[in-house]
């Protein structure tokens, strides 16, 4: 009886240090760090960088120069580019007018752009501004009904105004320009070669 009691007393019971030390450390040290540190960080970092830096830049920088170059490229089939860029020539004055000052604001891709340009070249090549009638007014909104030829009873609008070129005095159109009648209107200078690009023109 004595021997048995001694053996039971000598058995080592689990100490309080072994059980609590393993459970709290595994749960508290691994779980909170993985959940809190990995979830919030990736979303804000990826969203803030990509959108603001890439979108605003390309549009404003490309348009002003390319539009002028596009116009020169279109008109290079009609006129000498070096003359288009010389604002002292009739062709250069016509290009400056249609690109910068035309109140109708046609673009190079518009169907009537070349036709309107060619008529502007005709105006500046034949002393437009000193004609007897239908000269471009100081106020481009002043359409000025005019009679460009004493040999015709037809009337039209002043040239280089905000009206379509087919309504300008002396111009007849059927889709394209078919006739130009400025006889007796005090023209001086030379008829420009650009008129050949008015493909519907039959008489002038």
């Amino acid at each position: 009886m004595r021997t048995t009691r001694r053996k039971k007393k000598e058995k080592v019971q689990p100490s309080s240090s072994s059980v609590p030390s393993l459970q709290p450390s595994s749960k508290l040290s691994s779980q909170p760090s993985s959940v809190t540190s990995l979830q919030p960080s990736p979303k804000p970092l990826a969203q803030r960088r990509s959108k603001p830096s890439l979108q605003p830049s390309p549009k404003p920088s490309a348009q002003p120069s390319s539009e002028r170059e596009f116009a020169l490229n279109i008109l290079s089939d009609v006129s000498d580019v070096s003359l288009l860029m010389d604002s002292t020539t009739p062709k250069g004055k016509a290009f400056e007018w249609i690109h910068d000052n035309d109140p109708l604001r046609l673009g190079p891709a518009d169907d009537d752009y070349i036709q309107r340009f060619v008529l502007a070249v005709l105006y500046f090549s034949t002393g437009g501004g000193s004609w007897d009638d239908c000269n471009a007014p100081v106020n481009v909104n002043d359409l000025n009904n005019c009679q460009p030829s004493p040999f015709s009873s037809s009337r039209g609008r002043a040239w280089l105004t905000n009206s379509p070129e087919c309504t300008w005095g002396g111009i007849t159109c059927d889709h394209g320009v078919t006739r130009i009648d400025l006889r007796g209107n005090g023209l001086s200078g030379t008829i420009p070669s650009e008129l050949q690009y008015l493909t519907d023109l039959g008489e002038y």
Side-chain angles (χ1 to χ4, degrees):
M1 297 295 291
R2 288 181 182 177
T3 310
T4 321
R5 286 178 184 175
R6 283 177 185 174
K7 284 182 180 179
K8 286 182 180 179
K9 286 181 181 179
E10 287 174 357
K11 282 183 180 179
V12 178
Q13 297 291 335
S15 65
S16 60
S17 63
S18 64
V19 175
S21 65
L22 293 176
Q23 286 183 352
S25 64
S26 62
K27 288 184 180 179
L28 294 175
S29 63
S30 61
Q31 284 183 357
S33 63
S34 63
V35 174
T36 54
S37 65
L38 294 178
Q39 283 185 354
S41 61
K43 288 184 180 178
L45 288 174
Q47 287 179 352
R48 285 177 186 170
R49 287 183 181 176
S50 60
K51 288 186 178 178
S53 62
L54 296 178
Q55 285 183 355
S57 60
K59 286 187 178 177
S61 61
Q63 277 187 349
S65 61
S66 64
E67 186 180 352
R68 189 176 185 87
E69 288 171 5
F70 181 43
L72 286 170
N73 185 49
I74 292 293
L75 296 177
S76 65
D77 293 332
V78 179
S79 295
D80 187 327
V81 173
S82 63
L83 296 176
L84 291 174
M85 298 180 69
D86 184 353
S87 60
T88 64
T89 67
K91 304 172 201 300
K93 289 176 182 178
F95 176 66
E96 187 178 79
W97 173 78
I98 199 168
H99 186 71
D100 299 325
N101 302 316
D102 182 3
L104 203 58
R105 297 297 180 192
L106 292 185
D110 288 308
D111 292 339
D112 295 332
Y113 184 78
I114 291 179
Q115 173 174 278
R116 195 169 173 88
F117 166 75
V118 168
L119 291 179
V121 174
L122 174 64
Y123 180 82
F124 289 111
S125 298
T126 56
S130 301
W131 291 352
D132 294 338
D133 209 348
C134 296
N135 293 292
V138 175
N139 181 358
V140 294
N141 296 314
D142 186 1
L143 302 181
N144 286 345
N145 283 333
C146 59
Q147 185 173 354
S149 173
F151 304 101
S152 173
S153 60
S154 66
R155 301 183 66 83
R157 301 288 176 83
W159 283 50
L160 308 191
T161 56
N162 60 4
S163 59
E165 65 280 1
C166 284
T167 66
W168 293 350
I171 302 299
T172 303
C173 292
D174 183 6
H175 301 294
V177 176
T178 58
R179 185 181 182 192
I180 301 173
D181 187 2
L182 296 170
R183 295 171 295 163
N185 198 33
L187 277 64
S188 61
T190 57
I191 301 297
S193 61
E194 282 80 0
L195 287 186
Q196 66 183 302
Y197 294 97
L198 299 179
T199 55
D200 296 319
L201 183 61
E203 182 180 351
Y204 63 90

